Amino acid sequence: MTMIASTALRNAARVGSRRQMSTAAPKTHKAKDAWVELQKTRPPPGHEHRVFEPPYSTPFVGAMVVGVLCTGYGMMYFGMRHQQYKQGYWK
């Protein structure tokens, strides 16, 4: 059999084949069944559930902001410095 004939037969078989229909029941959404359990884990009514509860320590927050900014600037500067030396612009 030639290559063209075998390719044509393979493609015809692929087009003609059908997948069997599933006999299983459709999957249903089960979130409504779990709502009672989920409701038990919620904070009590009237309580604003914040991740960080005040009061905040001003010196600590200020040090963290400055630290993050300095770290970001330092990483960008030293990355740029490395590329300049690597590519030969700075000696």
Side-chain angles (χ1 to χ4, degrees), residues 13-25:
R14 188 180 307 148
V15 168
S17 67
R18 299 267 181 202
R19 293 181 64 192
Q20 295 294 324
M21 296 292 290
S22 174
T23 58

Side-chain angles (χ1 to χ4, degrees), residues 2-90:
T2 65
M3 192 165 113
I4 295 173
S6 65
T7 303
L9 284 173
R10 186 174 59 242
N11 289 338
R14 188 180 307 148
V15 168
S17 67
R18 299 267 181 202
R19 293 181 64 192
Q20 295 294 324
M21 296 292 290
S22 174
T23 58
K27 294 181 181 180
T28 58
H29 187 61
K30 295 186 170 70
K32 63 182 175 188
D33 301 333
W35 181 249
V36 175
E37 295 298 319
L38 182 64
Q39 203 67 7
K40 293 177 186 174
T41 64
R42 303 290 174 138
H47 178 265
E48 292 185 28
H49 187 67
R50 297 184 181 139
V51 176
F52 300 108
E53 300 273 344
Y56 305 109
S57 169
T58 305
F60 178 75
V61 171
M64 290 300 292
V65 168
V66 169
V68 166
L69 291 175
C70 289
T71 301
Y73 178 81
M75 288 171 51
M76 288 188 297
Y77 174 77
F78 284 108
M80 186 262 318
R81 180 180 177 270
H82 168 72
Q83 289 297 327
Q84 294 293 341
Y85 277 114
K86 179 178 145 186
Q87 295 171 4
Y89 294 112
W90 293 357

